[in-house]
Amino acid sequence: MIRVGVAGWPVKHTRSPAIFAHWFERYGVDARYELIPVAPEDADSFFAELPAEWAGVNVTVPHKRTAAAHIKLEGAGARLGVANTLWRADGVVCGTSSDGPGFVASLDAAAPAWRDSNAPALILGAGGAALAIADALRATGCAVTVANRTLAKAESIAASTGAAAIPLTDLADAMAGCGVFINATTRGMAGIDPLDIDLSPLPASAVVADIVYNPLETALLAAARSRGLVAVDGLGMLLHQATLGFERWFGIKPEVDAALRAKVVATL
Ligand code: ATR
């Protein structure tokens, strides 16, 4: 029995076990995906010597930077100094971040025409999710603008990804020319005030995406749909980011399909 899991603090709320259980059944893999609670004071020692019982682990808040400091990083993980997926290669613990690529894969699946527009993407928010998404969109060659309440945090993302940074007061102007508009804040998550943004400046061809997946249909996405815009929910990012771990640990690139979505939606 191969053991993998997700290390975080707290980890109780994560949907990853449901995602992996679906793929284990679907691909006939004999493995178990476990919750690995790692207290902040134990994180350095945990990642410095990943216990041998774990063939691979996902990493969630608040440990993505701590994990990255102790492993061999590649790709987005190396660029950003964060890791959410760790695996072993020739006895060495390696890792990267699949959050940004997961977002782009979700966009490609739900709104493939976004790549045709050649218009800049506009990201609202400047936390870890915004950084990962900005990096992955820049890696596709897309121009990116980051808008944030605290401008300095948007500027920091801009400096490390080659995006532009603007204050929220310039949001409407930036929306007018944008191809993809992304909420990368927690606003709209169950229990947190929804965003109240006028979407009318967006062009008719714009795609609106949210990283929030609980609820699946945020007020932002509902407003986008009522304007006739294509709306992409945050569940796609969650499911697509998980494919990398499965691929690295079991050698199979798993499919993100309607059956998987339905199973995870049932846990929300
Ligand atoms: P992450 O998990 O992505 O790292 P975070 O660091 O908590 O999340 O970031 C949350 C984002 O939501 C931040 O960009 C935050 O803006 P600030 O950088 O100005 O704090 C944004 N955010 C949270 N509440 C907000 C609000 N009421 N209005 C505007 N932005 C908000």
Side-chain angles (χ1 to χ4, degrees), residues 61 64 124-131 146-151 153-154 157 168 183-187 192-195 211:
V61 281
K64 292 182 186 184
L124 179 63
L131 174 64
V146 180
N148 196 49
R149 180 176 61 179
T150 310
L151 181 59
K153 285 170 69 183
I157 292 181
L168 286 186
N183 172 40
T185 77
T186 51
R187 295 281 303 273
I192 300 178
D193 273 354
L195 288 168
I211 67 160

Side-chain angles (χ1 to χ4, degrees), residues 97-215:
S97 170
S98 64
D99 287 330
F103 176 83
V104 171
S106 169
L107 209 52
D108 281 338
W114 80 271
R115 284 184 184 257
D116 303 334
S117 83
N118 280 322
L122 176 57
I123 299 174
L124 179 63
L131 174 64
I133 290 169
D135 173 72
L137 286 171
R138 293 288 301 129
T140 71
C142 182
V144 175
T145 300
V146 180
N148 196 49
R149 180 176 61 179
T150 310
L151 181 59
K153 285 170 69 183
E155 286 171 337
S156 156
I157 292 181
S160 58
T161 63
I166 59 169
L168 286 186
T169 45
D170 294 349
L171 190 64
D173 282 348
M175 284 169 85
C178 110
V180 189
F181 179 66
I182 303 139
N183 172 40
T185 77
T186 51
R187 295 281 303 273
M189 194 183 281
I192 300 178
D193 273 354
L195 288 168
D196 184 17
I197 290 177
D198 173 17
L199 296 183
S200 61
L202 287 174
S205 56
V207 174
V208 177
D210 207 322
I211 67 160
V212 172
Y213 60 85
N214 190 13

